[in-house]
Amino acid sequence: MNPTVERQLHLTIGSRFENIELVQMTIDETLRESGASEEQRHWIGLALREAVANAIKHGNRQDPSRQVEVELALTGGDMEIRVSDEGPGFDPEAVKDPLAPENKFRGDGRGIFYMKKFMDEVRYAFRPSGGTIVVLRKRLAPDAPGTQER
């Protein structure tokens, strides 16, 4: 038996940084209504902000005529968020490690690092017509006493 999607959400925004807050508030409210803990919502929110900021800045190059799509699906305690841009794409393996001493003062690479730190899975897909899709997955298991998020 295939699990059914319990909740879905689809947002399309223009490539403007002001829209990040709207996306985060909307996803946070949906997660809250679905029973996600405040701590889970906090870490998911940070990863989401990074993914949307990267789509706006690096993917769409802050071109307001290009859009970012954000999709949320909740299925049986699993959450998946897809953030898509319309840019040329990139090689995730080419992003420098922000923890390496030589990159200590560089600004790039931290967003991907944070997404990987806060989520259970981060993967990328690339459309043939252009555009990157980052997929963020997190298990929304109920918090047990004494456990903490990453």
Side-chain angles (χ1 to χ4, degrees), residues 37-104:
S37 72
E38 184 175 341
E39 187 171 2
Q40 288 172 327
R41 294 188 339 260
H42 172 76
W43 297 119
I44 292 166
L46 288 176
L48 175 64
R49 288 180 80 85
E50 292 295 340
V52 175
N54 282 349
I56 292 169
K57 181 178 179 181
H58 302 294
N60 290 346
R61 309 256 195 272
Q62 293 179 268
D63 178 348
S65 70
R66 289 186 170 178
Q67 296 182 325
V68 174
E69 292 189 38
V70 180
E71 299 172 84
L72 168 72
L74 296 168
T75 309
D78 287 323
M79 180 220 61
E80 181 176 286
I81 298 173
R82 293 174 170 264
V83 178
S84 308
D85 65 54
E86 298 176 337
F90 75 109
D91 178 4
E93 300 301 319
V95 176
K96 297 183 185 328
D97 176 5
L99 299 180
E102 66 272 14
N103 299 326
K104 187 175 180 179

Side-chain angles (χ1 to χ4, degrees), residues 71-144:
E71 299 172 84
L72 168 72
L74 296 168
T75 309
D78 287 323
M79 180 220 61
E80 181 176 286
I81 298 173
R82 293 174 170 264
V83 178
S84 308
D85 65 54
E86 298 176 337
F90 75 109
D91 178 4
E93 300 301 319
V95 176
K96 297 183 185 328
D97 176 5
L99 299 180
E102 66 272 14
N103 299 326
K104 187 175 180 179
F105 297 108
R106 293 178 57 99
D108 55 336
R110 297 195 192 290
I112 292 173
F113 171 79
Y114 290 138
M115 287 186 283
K116 288 179 179 177
K117 183 81 174 157
F118 303 145
M119 303 303 289
D120 295 332
E121 179 184 354
V122 177
R123 67 180 191 277
Y124 299 91
F126 304 94
R127 294 187 205 142
S129 60
T132 300
I133 303 166
V134 61
V135 180
L136 308 171
R137 292 184 58 87
K138 183 84 172 162
R139 177 81 180 145
L140 298 177
D143 286 343

Side-chain angles (χ1 to χ4, degrees), residues 1-4 75:
M1 180 178 195
N2 291 335
T4 59
T75 309

